[in-house]
Amino acid sequence: MSHEQKAQFAVVGHPNKGKSSIVSTLSHNDNIGISSRSGTTEKADRYTVTTDHGCYDLIDTPGFQRPTKVLKWLNQQCSNTSERAQTVVSFVNNSECQRNFPDEVELLKPMTEGAAILYVVDGSRPYGPEYDAEMEILRWTGQPSMALINPIENSDCIDEWENALTQYFKSVRVFNPLKADFEKQIELLQTFAHLNPKWSNQLKQIVKDLLQKREQQCHDSIIVLARLVDDLCQYQQCQKVLTPDQAKQVRPLLEKQYKHWMKQREEKAIKELLANYAHFQTQFSLDQFDLPPDLFDCDEWYAWGLNKKQLTSAAAVAGAVGGAAIDLAVAGHSFMLGAIGGGLLGAGSAWFGADKLIDVKVKGLPLGGYQACVGPIKNRNFPYVIIGRFVHMFRQISQLNHANREALNFNATDFQEKVALLEKSEQKELHRACDLLIKQKPVDNLADVLMPLFRADTD
Ligand SMILES: Nc1nc2c(ncn2[C@@H]2O[C@H](COP(=O)(O)OP(=O)(O)OP(=O)(O)O)[C@@H](O)[C@H]2O)c(=O)[nH]1
Ligand SMILES: [Mg+2]
């Protein structure tokens, strides 16, 4: 496909107004140079967004440096309106202009090759007449165009900008590359489809593809979690020794290795999650988690997994207590604990196994010697903690814009509310699955059981 036929958009404007940020967010590419230093982008860079059935180009460009002088040059060369676009081509090809106005030559060249224009301004700073020269030059190219107002610090000057921009652009939209969620990105792409009728079908297909891809990414994330929670619930760290005494001695080491493995396994899942959403530069550290800093800090588990009341319900559902209590328990009836009384509580606390964080076993081997083993974890809240943490990370990562270059920081979770928002039947399925997991039994439909936790309506 030649550049002419393929939909292509040059993102242009003043230096340091978020042009590269917009390209980064729309192309889901976190490898594009963004910085608070003005003049970061020095050359026009073309980024192709490829989907299953199509592609389009976004062109990141350097900002205007000397628009007034450039407009003067153009006016000197051309007095006939019908020759303006041709004059821009002459400007781009003129070696003297290439020396004197390298930024403008770079930024205008894509338009001489058929690119549409996305003009970016900062909605937190007032409009000024110095922008008129930029907008006038863009008009000379004769290319389809629209304006994007990026409210970098605030929205104070948006109205003022809208009044100025509508003089030059038929379409004006507010778009914040750091905050715009996936739906907003799709909306913007749909606006692009109107800019040039020749591109409208391609772009509609691309929108369809992107929506489908988004669903696939969610599905793949659920699979990552299913494998993670299964692995963590199964894991055991063992070592052969000669005497029971030696088994005692290796215990602290085994525990350390065990925890190390679990932590690395969780980190691997987060890296897979990041890669699934094309975040390859994002830094994170599990040690920086405010809540809980440590996967093995049992006291913090109620914050990440289920709370005590929910765990009691889970116990009922999983069959630790009689069937009649189940519906009451799932309904979360306030009188449940009182009505069912000590029976359920008794069963419950044994069932929780809170003080049995990690099982340590020593067993004799048939050919002599002993084996000391650490794990698997017996605490009933454990699978929920893993699921709760992951679902929380999923939400952050799936909504992280590629223009956002800050390190990830997870500090709160509303997993318990999420579970409470599930349909009763979905809650039961989840509790049954976690019951099997903590017993190291296979759960055939684990991904299906986890899926409701990833639904948008539980956000
Ligand atoms: N808070 C906030 N900062 C933004 C936003 N958009 C851009 N920035 C910041 O503004 C600075 C410039 O962003 P860039 O995307 O590099 O801007 P640019 O227009 O490509 O800049 P040049 O290439 O230098 O012309 C960076 O520090 C961005 O993080 C925004 O919507 N909100
Ligand atoms: Mg830039």
Side-chain angles (χ1 to χ4, degrees):
M1 209 188 291
S2 78
H3 283 339
E4 280 292 337
Q5 293 158 331
K6 197 202 247 176
Q8 45 169 340
F9 304 89
V11 182
V12 297
H14 243 50
N16 219 29
K17 297 301 182 195
K19 299 181 296 296
S20 300
S21 300
I22 288 174
V23 173
S24 175
T25 284
L26 288 178
S27 61
H28 291 190
N29 180 341
D30 65 353
N31 207 14
I32 294 174
I34 292 173
S35 92
S36 54
R37 185 178 59 83
S38 179
T40 301
T41 308
E42 293 176 343
K43 292 271 169 236
D45 292 313
R46 195 176 276 270
Y47 299 95
T48 303
V49 178
T50 307
T51 67
D52 281 349
H53 305 95
C55 62
Y56 76 100
D57 282 355
L58 286 166
I59 305 154
D60 191 15
T61 67
F64 281 100
Q65 293 292 341
R66 306 162 82 186
T68 316
K69 290 217 167 80
V70 171
L71 188 58
K72 198 170 154 205
W73 188 95
L74 291 172
N75 271 312
Q76 278 166 356
Q77 304 295 310
C78 173
S79 54
N80 180 340
T81 305
S82 71
E83 287 166 8
R84 283 180 170 181
Q86 196 48 50
T87 310
V88 176
V89 174
S90 309
F91 170 84
V92 166
N93 291 327
N94 182 300
S95 54
E96 202 179 318
C97 293
Q98 289 166 1
R99 257 196 320 278
N100 293 341
F101 309 109
D103 300 279
E104 279 80 4
V105 166
E106 274 293 310
L107 81 91
L108 289 171
K109 201 164 166 220
M111 286 153 232
T112 65
E113 296 165 351
I117 298 162
L118 304 177
Y119 181 62
V120 180
V121 300
D122 177 0
S124 53
R125 296 289 171 83
Y127 156 81
E130 67 272 23
Y131 293 91
D132 283 337
E134 297 177 4
M135 295 191 275
E136 186 59 20
I137 293 169
L138 294 174
R139 189 153 68 177
W140 276 55
T141 67
Q143 286 306 108
S145 61
M146 73 177 290
L148 297 176
I149 304 174
N150 176 13
I152 293 188
E153 275 156 41
N154 55 58
S155 305
D156 291 356
C157 305
I158 287 184
D159 290 346
E160 186 182 337
W161 268 112
E162 274 176 347
N163 291 337
L165 290 167
T166 44
Q167 311 281 319
Y168 291 89
F169 302 94
K170 264 187 287 184
S171 184
V172 178
R173 290 278 188 285
V174 176
F175 187 80
N176 183 331
L178 286 190
K179 296 206 180 119
D181 60 16
F182 182 71
E183 283 69 32
K184 286 244 165 58
Q185 297 170 31
I186 289 290
E187 261 173 52
L188 185 61
L189 210 52
Q190 281 162 337
T191 322
F192 291 178
H194 296 298
L195 284 187
N196 183 345
K198 274 194 295 190
W199 298 338
S200 116
N201 282 339
Q202 310 173 29
L203 287 169
K204 279 180 192 154
Q205 181 61 53
I206 287 166
V207 165
K208 250 192 216 165
D209 288 350
L210 289 175
L211 289 168
Q212 163 115 42
K213 182 178 174 196
R214 183 87 177 159
E215 255 177 51
Q216 184 64 45
Q217 284 171 320
C218 179
H219 182 260
D220 292 346
S221 305
I222 296 170
I223 302 291
V224 171
L225 171 58
R227 292 194 182 127
L228 171 70
V229 68
D230 195 42
D231 278 0
L232 290 183
C233 287
Q234 300 271 347
Y235 192 67
Q236 229 187 5
Q237 181 88 34
C238 295
Q239 191 179 328
K240 286 186 183 133
V241 288
L242 294 174
T243 64
D245 218 32
Q246 287 178 354
K248 250 188 220 152
Q249 284 172 24
V250 296
R251 182 186 161 148
L253 182 66
L254 278 181
E255 269 191 41
K256 203 174 146 206
Q257 289 171 343
Y258 179 80
K259 289 181 181 181
H260 179 73
W261 188 92
M262 302 286 264
K263 191 175 155 217
Q264 290 220 315
R265 181 65 189 82
E266 197 186 29
E267 275 175 5
K268 179 169 167 265
I270 299 171
K271 282 193 186 129
E272 285 171 358
L273 194 52
L274 283 165
N276 188 22
Y277 286 91
H279 290 289
F280 297 105
Q281 316 292 329
T282 307
Q283 302 295 312
F284 74 93
S285 160
L286 287 177
D287 298 331
Q288 278 171 3
F289 281 20
D290 290 352
L291 246 183
D294 178 350
L295 187 53
F296 298 94
D297 186 346
C298 250
D299 286 344
E300 301 276 13
W301 282 13
Y302 292 115
W304 281 89
L306 299 185
N307 59 34
K308 289 184 186 176
K309 198 171 149 195
Q310 283 175 316
L311 265 182
T312 310
S313 307
V317 171
V321 288
I326 292 179
D327 291 325
L328 264 184
V330 173
H333 241 281
S334 55
F335 69 82
M336 176 186 73
L337 292 180
I340 302 166
L344 178 57
L345 269 184
S349 51
W351 189 83
F352 294 160
D355 49 359
K356 254 187 143 188
L357 174 56
I358 306 175
D359 216 22
V360 184
K361 285 191 283 291
V362 180
K363 67 175 184 203
L365 295 173
L367 296 177
Y370 296 85
Q371 177 159 263
C373 289
V374 169
I377 284 187
K378 293 292 182 200
N379 188 299
R380 295 278 172 167
N381 215 355
F382 184 65
Y384 298 98
V385 172
I386 299 304
I387 295 168
R389 282 163 73 104
F390 187 91
V391 169
H392 179 65
M393 292 170 212
F394 164 80
R395 265 242 301 275
Q396 310 269 313
I397 290 169
S398 65
Q399 291 176 5
L400 182 68
N401 284 354
H402 291 75
N404 188 343
R405 304 295 164 84
E406 281 167 22
L408 283 180
N409 184 15
F410 309 110
N411 49 21
T413 172
D414 51 5
F415 180 65
Q416 293 164 11
E417 284 159 48
K418 252 178 164 345
V419 171
L421 278 173
L422 297 179
E423 301 281 333
K424 300 299 176 217
S425 59
E426 292 167 347
Q427 291 187 32
K428 281 189 193 179
E429 289 283 333
L430 177 67
H431 296 324
R432 289 210 176 91
C434 286
D435 183 52
L436 289 171
L437 282 167
I438 206 69
K439 292 172 180 159
Q440 292 81 49
K441 288 182 186 154
V443 185
D444 295 336
N445 60 342
L446 186 53
D448 293 334
V449 173
L450 295 170
M451 196 169 313
L453 289 166
F454 289 74
R455 263 195 330 243
D457 63 1
T458 55
D459 276 3

